[in-house]
Structures are given as C-alpha cells and as structure tokens.
Amino acid sequence: MSSTAAAPALPGQVLADLLPASRVRDLALVLGGAALTGLAAQIAVPVPGSPVPVTGQTFAALLVGTSLGARRGFFALAVYALAGLAGVPWFADGASGVSVSFGYILGMILASAAVGALARRGADRSMLRTAGAMLLGEAIIYAVGVPYLAYAAGISASAAIAAGLTPFLIGDAVKAILAMGLLPTAWKLVKSSA
C-alpha cells in the first residue's frame, strides 16, 4: 500500500483519520471545518419573535466535530468563532462580531468537541448512537446559548427559552435524522471500499 492511501477503519477512529496523516491534513481539515460552518450559517431563516434564526450552522458544527474528532472539531469551531469576531462575515445572515446569539457559537465549540469524543467511541457508526450524539451536541449548544441570550438580550430565562429553544426543537430533530442517515452510511461506504 502506498503512503498516500487511506488506512482501513479501526476502532477509535473518526472519518478524518482515514485520510493520510500529516500536519497539512489537520490544518486543512480545521480550516475546511470552519469554512463549512461559515457557509452553512448563510442558510438562515428568521424565526418570528426570536433574534436567533434557524440556520445550517449547528448541523455543520456537529458534523465537523463528529467527522474530525474532538481536537480538530474544537479547533475548527474556535477558528470559526475567532474569525467571525475579527470581522469575517460568516455568522448567520453574514454577520460578524458579538451578538445576542453568540452564546450558541460558544456552545458549538464545546458541542463539536463532545460529539467528536463520542465519535471516537463509535457514536457515528450506527443510526441510534448517531442520533444520541447529535441530540447531546444540540443540548450543549442550548445549555450555553439560551442563558447567554437571556443575559445579552436582558430577558428572563423563560423568555429566552421561548425565543431561543422552543422554536428550534423540530428543526433539531430533523438535523438528528439527517445525521442518522449520513454518518453511518459514510462508514458503510468506507467498509465496503476497504
């Protein structure tokens, strides 16, 4: 086997580990993960009564973490957040800087690392475990984002839940279902081509 061929899947690996290992690979994956999240954030649908839109951003953040693993996923979302703070217009609706929804971005950094750690333990290889990992990742995002929304917008906790959690639950279930099909299928394709 040549040194540029991908290694067969082993326990403890995430999808990104199947690519030939190098620092250049890791840097490209981190930057690519940040860019994917920024692109997905541009898919934004306003939610009446909420300063937080429905976006593809959370789905991308969780896929990045799951596919890259905890460390690279964490760094990809940290690069995404830092670049947005520095003025790159790739937060939802082409925004940058700190807003009332910035807590969700902070939550995405932590969630990406958490689902990446779970993926190393095989959470991305079956439909049920993938759904569990995605729902845990979403819960982490809300655990940071909703309190931050309450603080930044100067609203009560119940108002923050009504504006920053409740309207998004159906969409999050759909995202978990998409991930349930996507990630285990990717692993099946890897096994069949090995």
Side-chain angles (χ1 to χ4, degrees):
M1 182 183 301
S2 75
S3 63
T4 59
L10 299 172
Q13 287 186 316
V14 294
L15 287 168
D17 293 334
L18 301 177
L19 299 172
S22 74
R23 290 188 194 275
V24 172
R25 172 204 68 177
D26 289 342
L27 179 61
L29 289 170
V30 165
L31 295 176
L36 175 67
T37 306
L39 287 172
Q42 304 317 303
I43 302 167
V45 178
V47 175
S50 176
V52 182
V54 171
T55 69
Q57 177 182 28
T58 55
F59 184 63
L62 294 175
L63 282 180
V64 165
T66 307
S67 300
L68 302 187
R71 184 177 54 84
R72 289 181 297 236
F74 176 89
F75 285 123
L77 272 291
V79 166
Y80 168 70
L82 291 172
L85 286 174
V88 175
W90 62 0
F91 292 162
D93 291 326
S96 63
V98 177
S99 70
V100 295
S101 61
F102 189 70
Y104 295 94
I105 294 169
L106 296 175
M108 285 178 220
I109 297 170
L110 299 175
S112 181
V115 297
L118 290 172
R120 287 225 180 265
R121 291 167 179 78
D124 59 340
R125 298 188 191 198
S126 76
M127 291 178 72
L128 189 57
R129 292 179 78 189
T130 299
M134 294 296 115
L135 293 175
L136 176 65
E138 291 285 354
I140 291 169
I141 293 167
Y142 287 124
V144 178
V146 173
Y148 186 95
L149 175 64
Y151 170 76
I155 59 177
S156 68
S158 61
I161 290 169
L165 171 65
T166 307
F168 304 96
L169 294 177
I170 293 174
D172 290 339
V174 170
K175 292 172 191 177
I177 290 168
L178 289 171
M180 284 170 57
L182 185 64
L183 294 165
T185 300
W187 278 110
K188 285 179 186 173
L189 290 172
V190 166
K191 285 180 185 177
S192 69
S193 67

PDB file of all heavy atoms in Angstrom, residues 18-59:
ATOM      1  N   LEU A  18      -9.135   8.574   8.314  1.00  0.00           N
ATOM      2  CA  LEU A  18      -8.939   7.672   7.181  1.00  0.00           C
ATOM      3  C   LEU A  18      -8.099   8.318   6.086  1.00  0.00           C
ATOM      4  O   LEU A  18      -7.621   7.631   5.193  1.00  0.00           O
ATOM      5  CB  LEU A  18     -10.284   7.218   6.626  1.00  0.00           C
ATOM      6  CG  LEU A  18     -11.172   6.492   7.641  1.00  0.00           C
ATOM      7  CD1 LEU A  18     -12.511   6.148   7.018  1.00  0.00           C
ATOM      8  CD2 LEU A  18     -10.483   5.249   8.185  1.00  0.00           C
ATOM      9  N   LEU A  19      -7.917   9.629   6.153  1.00  0.00           N
ATOM     10  CA  LEU A  19      -7.047  10.335   5.204  1.00  0.00           C
ATOM     11  C   LEU A  19      -5.601  10.188   5.659  1.00  0.00           C
ATOM     12  O   LEU A  19      -5.331  10.061   6.855  1.00  0.00           O
ATOM     13  CB  LEU A  19      -7.426  11.820   5.149  1.00  0.00           C
ATOM     14  CG  LEU A  19      -8.852  12.130   4.685  1.00  0.00           C
ATOM     15  CD1 LEU A  19      -9.153  13.614   4.879  1.00  0.00           C
ATOM     16  CD2 LEU A  19      -9.028  11.720   3.235  1.00  0.00           C
ATOM     17  N   PRO A  20      -4.656  10.220   4.738  1.00  0.00           N
ATOM     18  CA  PRO A  20      -3.248  10.117   5.134  1.00  0.00           C
ATOM     19  C   PRO A  20      -2.877  11.198   6.149  1.00  0.00           C
ATOM     20  O   PRO A  20      -3.191  12.372   5.963  1.00  0.00           O
ATOM     21  CB  PRO A  20      -2.494  10.314   3.817  1.00  0.00           C
ATOM     22  CG  PRO A  20      -3.471   9.920   2.758  1.00  0.00           C
ATOM     23  CD  PRO A  20      -4.822  10.317   3.291  1.00  0.00           C
ATOM     24  N   ALA A  21      -2.235  10.780   7.210  1.00  0.00           N
ATOM     25  CA  ALA A  21      -1.928  11.680   8.325  1.00  0.00           C
ATOM     26  C   ALA A  21      -0.799  12.648   7.989  1.00  0.00           C
ATOM     27  O   ALA A  21       0.213  12.259   7.416  1.00  0.00           O
ATOM     28  CB  ALA A  21      -1.552  10.867   9.557  1.00  0.00           C
ATOM     29  N   SER A  22      -1.015  13.914   8.333  1.00  0.00           N
ATOM     30  CA  SER A  22       0.030  14.941   8.250  1.00  0.00           C
ATOM     31  C   SER A  22      -0.481  16.201   8.929  1.00  0.00           C
ATOM     32  O   SER A  22      -1.686  16.358   9.133  1.00  0.00           O
ATOM     33  CB  SER A  22       0.405  15.247   6.795  1.00  0.00           C
ATOM     34  OG  SER A  22      -0.618  16.011   6.168  1.00  0.00           O
ATOM     35  N   ARG A  23       0.420  17.074   9.239  1.00  0.00           N
ATOM     36  CA  ARG A  23       0.022  18.361   9.825  1.00  0.00           C
ATOM     37  C   ARG A  23      -0.753  19.193   8.808  1.00  0.00           C
ATOM     38  O   ARG A  23      -1.671  19.921   9.158  1.00  0.00           O
ATOM     39  CB  ARG A  23       1.243  19.133  10.312  1.00  0.00           C
ATOM     40  CG  ARG A  23       1.899  18.515  11.518  1.00  0.00           C
ATOM     41  CD  ARG A  23       2.986  19.430  12.070  1.00  0.00           C
ATOM     42  NE  ARG A  23       3.837  18.755  13.004  1.00  0.00           N
ATOM     43  CZ  ARG A  23       3.564  18.614  14.294  1.00  0.00           C
ATOM     44  NH1 ARG A  23       2.438  19.076  14.766  1.00  0.00           N
ATOM     45  NH2 ARG A  23       4.416  18.004  15.080  1.00  0.00           N
ATOM     46  N   VAL A  24      -0.381  19.073   7.546  1.00  0.00           N
ATOM     47  CA  VAL A  24      -1.091  19.797   6.487  1.00  0.00           C
ATOM     48  C   VAL A  24      -2.536  19.311   6.413  1.00  0.00           C
ATOM     49  O   VAL A  24      -3.466  20.104   6.289  1.00  0.00           O
ATOM     50  CB  VAL A  24      -0.374  19.638   5.126  1.00  0.00           C
ATOM     51  CG1 VAL A  24      -1.200  20.219   4.001  1.00  0.00           C
ATOM     52  CG2 VAL A  24       1.003  20.275   5.173  1.00  0.00           C
ATOM     53  N   ARG A  25      -2.731  17.992   6.512  1.00  0.00           N
ATOM     54  CA  ARG A  25      -4.090  17.441   6.518  1.00  0.00           C
ATOM     55  C   ARG A  25      -4.888  18.028   7.670  1.00  0.00           C
ATOM     56  O   ARG A  25      -6.019  18.486   7.490  1.00  0.00           O
ATOM     57  CB  ARG A  25      -4.055  15.922   6.654  1.00  0.00           C
ATOM     58  CG  ARG A  25      -5.456  15.322   6.867  1.00  0.00           C
ATOM     59  CD  ARG A  25      -5.474  13.983   7.543  1.00  0.00           C
ATOM     60  NE  ARG A  25      -5.056  14.055   8.929  1.00  0.00           N
ATOM     61  CZ  ARG A  25      -5.047  13.021   9.746  1.00  0.00           C
ATOM     62  NH1 ARG A  25      -5.414  11.826   9.323  1.00  0.00           N
ATOM     63  NH2 ARG A  25      -4.651  13.147  10.996  1.00  0.00           N
ATOM     64  N   ASP A  26      -4.309  18.017   8.865  1.00  0.00           N
ATOM     65  CA  ASP A  26      -5.025  18.516  10.038  1.00  0.00           C
ATOM     66  C   ASP A  26      -5.372  19.997   9.897  1.00  0.00           C
ATOM     67  O   ASP A  26      -6.486  20.416  10.221  1.00  0.00           O
ATOM     68  CB  ASP A  26      -4.212  18.275  11.308  1.00  0.00           C
ATOM     69  CG  ASP A  26      -4.161  16.793  11.681  1.00  0.00           C
ATOM     70  OD1 ASP A  26      -5.000  16.013  11.177  1.00  0.00           O
ATOM     71  OD2 ASP A  26      -3.287  16.427  12.477  1.00  0.00           O
ATOM     72  N   LEU A  27      -4.434  20.789   9.388  1.00  0.00           N
ATOM     73  CA  LEU A  27      -4.696  22.214   9.185  1.00  0.00           C
ATOM     74  C   LEU A  27      -5.799  22.412   8.148  1.00  0.00           C
ATOM     75  O   LEU A  27      -6.717  23.212   8.352  1.00  0.00           O
ATOM     76  CB  LEU A  27      -3.417  22.941   8.747  1.00  0.00           C
ATOM     77  CG  LEU A  27      -3.555  24.440   8.486  1.00  0.00           C
ATOM     78  CD1 LEU A  27      -4.000  25.175   9.747  1.00  0.00           C
ATOM     79  CD2 LEU A  27      -2.245  25.004   7.964  1.00  0.00           C
ATOM     80  N   ALA A  28      -5.727  21.653   7.060  1.00  0.00           N
ATOM     81  CA  ALA A  28      -6.759  21.768   6.025  1.00  0.00           C
ATOM     82  C   ALA A  28      -8.123  21.354   6.558  1.00  0.00           C
ATOM     83  O   ALA A  28      -9.141  21.987   6.247  1.00  0.00           O
ATOM     84  CB  ALA A  28      -6.379  20.919   4.811  1.00  0.00           C
ATOM     85  N   LEU A  29      -8.172  20.309   7.373  1.00  0.00           N
ATOM     86  CA  LEU A  29      -9.439  19.871   7.941  1.00  0.00           C
ATOM     87  C   LEU A  29     -10.018  20.908   8.895  1.00  0.00           C
ATOM     88  O   LEU A  29     -11.221  21.178   8.885  1.00  0.00           O
ATOM     89  CB  LEU A  29      -9.266  18.534   8.660  1.00  0.00           C
ATOM     90  CG  LEU A  29      -9.027  17.318   7.761  1.00  0.00           C
ATOM     91  CD1 LEU A  29      -8.636  16.107   8.590  1.00  0.00           C
ATOM     92  CD2 LEU A  29     -10.246  17.028   6.902  1.00  0.00           C
ATOM     93  N   VAL A  30      -9.171  21.510   9.720  1.00  0.00           N
ATOM     94  CA  VAL A  30      -9.633  22.547  10.657  1.00  0.00           C
ATOM     95  C   VAL A  30     -10.166  23.752   9.889  1.00  0.00           C
ATOM     96  O   VAL A  30     -11.271  24.247  10.159  1.00  0.00           O
ATOM     97  CB  VAL A  30      -8.502  22.947  11.633  1.00  0.00           C
ATOM     98  CG1 VAL A  30      -8.820  24.241  12.369  1.00  0.00           C
ATOM     99  CG2 VAL A  30      -8.249  21.810  12.627  1.00  0.00           C
ATOM    100  N   LEU A  31      -9.396  24.227   8.914  1.00  0.00           N
ATOM    101  CA  LEU A  31      -9.848  25.389   8.129  1.00  0.00           C
ATOM    102  C   LEU A  31     -11.083  25.050   7.302  1.00  0.00           C
ATOM    103  O   LEU A  31     -12.010  25.858   7.188  1.00  0.00           O
ATOM    104  CB  LEU A  31      -8.717  25.897   7.245  1.00  0.00           C
ATOM    105  CG  LEU A  31      -7.504  26.465   7.987  1.00  0.00           C
ATOM    106  CD1 LEU A  31      -6.405  26.857   6.999  1.00  0.00           C
ATOM    107  CD2 LEU A  31      -7.886  27.633   8.878  1.00  0.00           C
ATOM    108  N   GLY A  32     -11.118  23.848   6.744  1.00  0.00           N
ATOM    109  CA  GLY A  32     -12.285  23.419   5.983  1.00  0.00           C
ATOM    110  C   GLY A  32     -13.525  23.302   6.862  1.00  0.00           C
ATOM    111  O   GLY A  32     -14.632  23.662   6.443  1.00  0.00           O
ATOM    112  N   GLY A  33     -13.352  22.804   8.074  1.00  0.00           N
ATOM    113  CA  GLY A  33     -14.473  22.706   9.015  1.00  0.00           C
ATOM    114  C   GLY A  33     -15.013  24.071   9.396  1.00  0.00           C
ATOM    115  O   GLY A  33     -16.230  24.278   9.491  1.00  0.00           O
ATOM    116  N   ALA A  34     -14.106  25.024   9.607  1.00  0.00           N
ATOM    117  CA  ALA A  34     -14.529  26.394   9.909  1.00  0.00           C
ATOM    118  C   ALA A  34     -15.281  26.987   8.726  1.00  0.00           C
ATOM    119  O   ALA A  34     -16.347  27.603   8.896  1.00  0.00           O
ATOM    120  CB  ALA A  34     -13.311  27.257  10.266  1.00  0.00           C
ATOM    121  N   ALA A  35     -14.747  26.795   7.529  1.00  0.00           N
ATOM    122  CA  ALA A  35     -15.392  27.342   6.329  1.00  0.00           C
ATOM    123  C   ALA A  35     -16.752  26.697   6.074  1.00  0.00           C
ATOM    124  O   ALA A  35     -17.715  27.391   5.714  1.00  0.00           O
ATOM    125  CB  ALA A  35     -14.483  27.160   5.118  1.00  0.00           C
ATOM    126  N   LEU A  36     -16.851  25.389   6.264  1.00  0.00           N
ATOM    127  CA  LEU A  36     -18.137  24.708   6.086  1.00  0.00           C
ATOM    128  C   LEU A  36     -19.184  25.273   7.046  1.00  0.00           C
ATOM    129  O   LEU A  36     -20.326  25.530   6.659  1.00  0.00           O
ATOM    130  CB  LEU A  36     -17.983  23.204   6.315  1.00  0.00           C
ATOM    131  CG  LEU A  36     -19.288  22.407   6.277  1.00  0.00           C
ATOM    132  CD1 LEU A  36     -19.889  22.418   4.879  1.00  0.00           C
ATOM    133  CD2 LEU A  36     -19.058  20.987   6.760  1.00  0.00           C
ATOM    134  N   THR A  37     -18.786  25.496   8.279  1.00  0.00           N
ATOM    135  CA  THR A  37     -19.716  26.055   9.265  1.00  0.00           C
ATOM    136  C   THR A  37     -20.134  27.460   8.861  1.00  0.00           C
ATOM    137  O   THR A  37     -21.311  27.821   8.958  1.00  0.00           O
ATOM    138  CB  THR A  37     -19.086  26.043  10.668  1.00  0.00           C
ATOM    139  OG1 THR A  37     -18.640  24.714  10.968  1.00  0.00           O
ATOM    140  CG2 THR A  37     -20.078  26.496  11.720  1.00  0.00           C
ATOM    141  N   GLY A  38     -19.173  28.249   8.378  1.00  0.00           N
ATOM    142  CA  GLY A  38     -19.497  29.602   7.922  1.00  0.00           C
ATOM    143  C   GLY A  38     -20.437  29.610   6.730  1.00  0.00           C
ATOM    144  O   GLY A  38     -21.355  30.433   6.653  1.00  0.00           O
ATOM    145  N   LEU A  39     -20.226  28.691   5.810  1.00  0.00           N
ATOM    146  CA  LEU A  39     -21.129  28.591   4.654  1.00  0.00           C
ATOM    147  C   LEU A  39     -22.518  28.145   5.083  1.00  0.00           C
ATOM    148  O   LEU A  39     -23.531  28.684   4.621  1.00  0.00           O
ATOM    149  CB  LEU A  39     -20.566  27.625   3.618  1.00  0.00           C
ATOM    150  CG  LEU A  39     -19.369  28.128   2.816  1.00  0.00           C
ATOM    151  CD1 LEU A  39     -18.791  27.003   1.967  1.00  0.00           C
ATOM    152  CD2 LEU A  39     -19.773  29.298   1.934  1.00  0.00           C
ATOM    153  N   ALA A  40     -22.582  27.163   5.959  1.00  0.00           N
ATOM    154  CA  ALA A  40     -23.874  26.655   6.419  1.00  0.00           C
ATOM    155  C   ALA A  40     -24.645  27.707   7.216  1.00  0.00           C
ATOM    156  O   ALA A  40     -25.875  27.709   7.219  1.00  0.00           O
ATOM    157  CB  ALA A  40     -23.675  25.400   7.260  1.00  0.00           C
ATOM    158  N   ALA A  41     -23.928  28.613   7.861  1.00  0.00           N
ATOM    159  CA  ALA A  41     -24.589  29.680   8.621  1.00  0.00           C
ATOM    160  C   ALA A  41     -25.345  30.638   7.709  1.00  0.00           C
ATOM    161  O   ALA A  41     -26.256  31.343   8.153  1.00  0.00           O
ATOM    162  CB  ALA A  41     -23.567  30.446   9.455  1.00  0.00           C
ATOM    163  N   GLN A  42     -24.981  30.644   6.427  1.00  0.00           N
ATOM    164  CA  GLN A  42     -25.664  31.541   5.492  1.00  0.00           C
ATOM    165  C   GLN A  42     -27.040  31.013   5.094  1.00  0.00           C
ATOM    166  O   GLN A  42     -27.849  31.739   4.523  1.00  0.00           O
ATOM    167  CB  GLN A  42     -24.792  31.795   4.261  1.00  0.00           C
ATOM    168  CG  GLN A  42     -23.416  32.354   4.603  1.00  0.00           C
ATOM    169  CD  GLN A  42     -23.437  33.432   5.676  1.00  0.00           C
ATOM    170  OE1 GLN A  42     -24.118  34.444   5.535  1.00  0.00           O
ATOM    171  NE2 GLN A  42     -22.716  33.202   6.777  1.00  0.00           N
ATOM    172  N   ILE A  43     -27.304  29.755   5.409  1.00  0.00           N
ATOM    173  CA  ILE A  43     -28.653  29.217   5.251  1.00  0.00           C
ATOM    174  C   ILE A  43     -29.387  29.627   6.525  1.00  0.00           C
ATOM    175  O   ILE A  43     -29.283  28.967   7.555  1.00  0.00           O
ATOM    176  CB  ILE A  43     -28.636  27.681   5.107  1.00  0.00           C
ATOM    177  CG1 ILE A  43     -27.778  27.274   3.927  1.00  0.00           C
ATOM    178  CG2 ILE A  43     -30.057  27.137   5.006  1.00  0.00           C
ATOM    179  CD1 ILE A  43     -27.446  25.797   3.898  1.00  0.00           C
ATOM    180  N   ALA A  44     -30.054  30.746   6.488  1.00  0.00           N
ATOM    181  CA  ALA A  44     -30.686  31.304   7.684  1.00  0.00           C
ATOM    182  C   ALA A  44     -32.128  31.690   7.385  1.00  0.00           C
ATOM    183  O   ALA A  44     -32.398  32.387   6.417  1.00  0.00           O
ATOM    184  CB  ALA A  44     -29.904  32.524   8.168  1.00  0.00           C
ATOM    185  N   VAL A  45     -33.012  31.212   8.252  1.00  0.00           N
ATOM    186  CA  VAL A  45     -34.432  31.518   8.127  1.00  0.00           C
ATOM    187  C   VAL A  45     -34.858  32.222   9.404  1.00  0.00           C
ATOM    188  O   VAL A  45     -34.711  31.662  10.499  1.00  0.00           O
ATOM    189  CB  VAL A  45     -35.262  30.229   7.930  1.00  0.00           C
ATOM    190  CG1 VAL A  45     -36.746  30.547   7.854  1.00  0.00           C
ATOM    191  CG2 VAL A  45     -34.790  29.473   6.702  1.00  0.00           C
ATOM    192  N   PRO A  46     -35.372  33.465   9.300  1.00  0.00           N
ATOM    193  CA  PRO A  46     -35.805  34.177  10.508  1.00  0.00           C
ATOM    194  C   PRO A  46     -36.937  33.436  11.222  1.00  0.00           C
ATOM    195  O   PRO A  46     -37.776  32.789  10.588  1.00  0.00           O
ATOM    196  CB  PRO A  46     -36.300  35.518   9.983  1.00  0.00           C
ATOM    197  CG  PRO A  46     -35.884  35.599   8.565  1.00  0.00           C
ATOM    198  CD  PRO A  46     -35.587  34.220   8.082  1.00  0.00           C
ATOM    199  N   VAL A  47     -36.926  33.533  12.541  1.00  0.00           N
ATOM    200  CA  VAL A  47     -37.976  32.944  13.366  1.00  0.00           C
ATOM    201  C   VAL A  47     -38.757  34.098  13.989  1.00  0.00           C
ATOM    202  O   VAL A  47     -38.168  34.909  14.710  1.00  0.00           O
ATOM    203  CB  VAL A  47     -37.383  32.045  14.474  1.00  0.00           C
ATOM    204  CG1 VAL A  47     -38.472  31.530  15.403  1.00  0.00           C
ATOM    205  CG2 VAL A  47     -36.602  30.891  13.854  1.00  0.00           C
ATOM    206  N   PRO A  48     -40.049  34.208  13.690  1.00  0.00           N
ATOM    207  CA  PRO A  48     -40.837  35.306  14.268  1.00  0.00           C
ATOM    208  C   PRO A  48     -40.746  35.322  15.795  1.00  0.00           C
ATOM    209  O   PRO A  48     -40.872  34.280  16.437  1.00  0.00           O
ATOM    210  CB  PRO A  48     -42.268  35.005  13.815  1.00  0.00           C
ATOM    211  CG  PRO A  48     -42.107  34.164  12.585  1.00  0.00           C
ATOM    212  CD  PRO A  48     -40.862  33.355  12.811  1.00  0.00           C
ATOM    213  N   GLY A  49     -40.460  36.487  16.346  1.00  0.00           N
ATOM    214  CA  GLY A  49     -40.358  36.641  17.792  1.00  0.00           C
ATOM    215  C   GLY A  49     -39.038  36.225  18.395  1.00  0.00           C
ATOM    216  O   GLY A  49     -38.886  36.213  19.613  1.00  0.00           O
ATOM    217  N   SER A  50     -38.069  35.862  17.566  1.00  0.00           N
ATOM    218  CA  SER A  50     -36.771  35.427  18.082  1.00  0.00           C
ATOM    219  C   SER A  50     -35.653  36.165  17.358  1.00  0.00           C
ATOM    220  O   SER A  50     -35.705  36.323  16.141  1.00  0.00           O
ATOM    221  CB  SER A  50     -36.586  33.924  17.879  1.00  0.00           C
ATOM    222  OG  SER A  50     -35.290  33.518  18.297  1.00  0.00           O
ATOM    223  N   PRO A  51     -34.623  36.583  18.100  1.00  0.00           N
ATOM    224  CA  PRO A  51     -33.455  37.189  17.436  1.00  0.00           C
ATOM    225  C   PRO A  51     -32.506  36.153  16.853  1.00  0.00           C
ATOM    226  O   PRO A  51     -31.494  36.492  16.250  1.00  0.00           O
ATOM    227  CB  PRO A  51     -32.785  37.962  18.578  1.00  0.00           C
ATOM    228  CG  PRO A  51     -33.127  37.192  19.812  1.00  0.00           C
ATOM    229  CD  PRO A  51     -34.513  36.630  19.556  1.00  0.00           C
ATOM    230  N   VAL A  52     -32.840  34.876  17.017  1.00  0.00           N
ATOM    231  CA  VAL A  52     -31.992  33.777  16.564  1.00  0.00           C
ATOM    232  C   VAL A  52     -32.667  33.099  15.373  1.00  0.00           C
ATOM    233  O   VAL A  52     -33.784  32.604  15.496  1.00  0.00           O
ATOM    234  CB  VAL A  52     -31.776  32.753  17.699  1.00  0.00           C
ATOM    235  CG1 VAL A  52     -30.848  31.636  17.240  1.00  0.00           C
ATOM    236  CG2 VAL A  52     -31.242  33.428  18.948  1.00  0.00           C
ATOM    237  N   PRO A  53     -32.010  33.069  14.198  1.00  0.00           N
ATOM    238  CA  PRO A  53     -32.610  32.387  13.039  1.00  0.00           C
ATOM    239  C   PRO A  53     -32.339  30.885  13.069  1.00  0.00           C
ATOM    240  O   PRO A  53     -31.439  30.414  13.759  1.00  0.00           O
ATOM    241  CB  PRO A  53     -31.890  33.034  11.855  1.00  0.00           C
ATOM    242  CG  PRO A  53     -30.537  33.362  12.406  1.00  0.00           C
ATOM    243  CD  PRO A  53     -30.762  33.749  13.854  1.00  0.00           C
ATOM    244  N   VAL A  54     -33.113  30.147  12.317  1.00  0.00           N
ATOM    245  CA  VAL A  54     -32.804  28.746  12.056  1.00  0.00           C
ATOM    246  C   VAL A  54     -31.714  28.754  10.994  1.00  0.00           C
ATOM    247  O   VAL A  54     -31.845  29.423   9.970  1.00  0.00           O
ATOM    248  CB  VAL A  54     -34.051  28.000  11.514  1.00  0.00           C
ATOM    249  CG1 VAL A  54     -33.674  26.605  11.044  1.00  0.00           C
ATOM    250  CG2 VAL A  54     -35.134  27.934  12.565  1.00  0.00           C
ATOM    251  N   THR A  55     -30.627  28.038  11.236  1.00  0.00           N
ATOM    252  CA  THR A  55     -29.518  28.009  10.284  1.00  0.00           C
ATOM    253  C   THR A  55     -29.025  26.578  10.062  1.00  0.00           C
ATOM    254  O   THR A  55     -29.378  25.664  10.803  1.00  0.00           O
ATOM    255  CB  THR A  55     -28.309  28.832  10.780  1.00  0.00           C
ATOM    256  OG1 THR A  55     -27.725  28.159  11.905  1.00  0.00           O
ATOM    257  CG2 THR A  55     -28.700  30.248  11.163  1.00  0.00           C
ATOM    258  N   GLY A  56     -28.171  26.421   9.087  1.00  0.00           N
ATOM    259  CA  GLY A  56     -27.472  25.161   8.879  1.00  0.00           C
ATOM    260  C   GLY A  56     -26.206  25.079   9.710  1.00  0.00           C
ATOM    261  O   GLY A  56     -25.501  24.077   9.700  1.00  0.00           O
ATOM    262  N   GLN A  57     -25.919  26.137  10.436  1.00  0.00           N
ATOM    263  CA  GLN A  57     -24.688  26.278  11.211  1.00  0.00           C
ATOM    264  C   GLN A  57     -24.532  25.185  12.268  1.00  0.00           C
ATOM    265  O   GLN A  57     -23.461  24.592  12.390  1.00  0.00           O
ATOM    266  CB  GLN A  57     -24.739  27.665  11.840  1.00  0.00           C
ATOM    267  CG  GLN A  57     -23.660  28.093  12.733  1.00  0.00           C
ATOM    268  CD  GLN A  57     -23.972  29.496  13.263  1.00  0.00           C
ATOM    269  OE1 GLN A  57     -25.117  29.893  13.383  1.00  0.00           O
ATOM    270  NE2 GLN A  57     -22.941  30.229  13.578  1.00  0.00           N
ATOM    271  N   THR A  58     -25.569  24.909  13.038  1.00  0.00           N
ATOM    272  CA  THR A  58     -25.433  23.920  14.107  1.00  0.00           C
ATOM    273  C   THR A  58     -25.221  22.524  13.522  1.00  0.00           C
ATOM    274  O   THR A  58     -24.412  21.753  14.038  1.00  0.00           O
ATOM    275  CB  THR A  58     -26.654  23.919  15.037  1.00  0.00           C
ATOM    276  OG1 THR A  58     -27.837  23.723  14.258  1.00  0.00           O
ATOM    277  CG2 THR A  58     -26.762  25.208  15.807  1.00  0.00           C
ATOM    278  N   PHE A  59     -25.936  22.210  12.459  1.00  0.00           N
ATOM    279  CA  PHE A  59     -25.765  20.914  11.819  1.00  0.00           C
ATOM    280  C   PHE A  59     -24.329  20.755  11.322  1.00  0.00           C
ATOM    281  O   PHE A  59     -23.690  19.731  11.538  1.00  0.00           O
ATOM    282  CB  PHE A  59     -26.769  20.771  10.666  1.00  0.00           C
ATOM    283  CG  PHE A  59     -26.739  19.436   9.990  1.00  0.00           C
ATOM    284  CD1 PHE A  59     -27.073  18.280  10.687  1.00  0.00           C
ATOM    285  CD2 PHE A  59     -26.404  19.327   8.657  1.00  0.00           C
ATOM    286  CE1 PHE A  59     -27.063  17.037  10.063  1.00  0.00           C
ATOM    287  CE2 PHE A  59     -26.395  18.096   8.020  1.00  0.00           C
ATOM    288  CZ  PHE A  59     -26.730  16.950   8.725  1.00  0.00           C
TER     289      PHE A  59
END
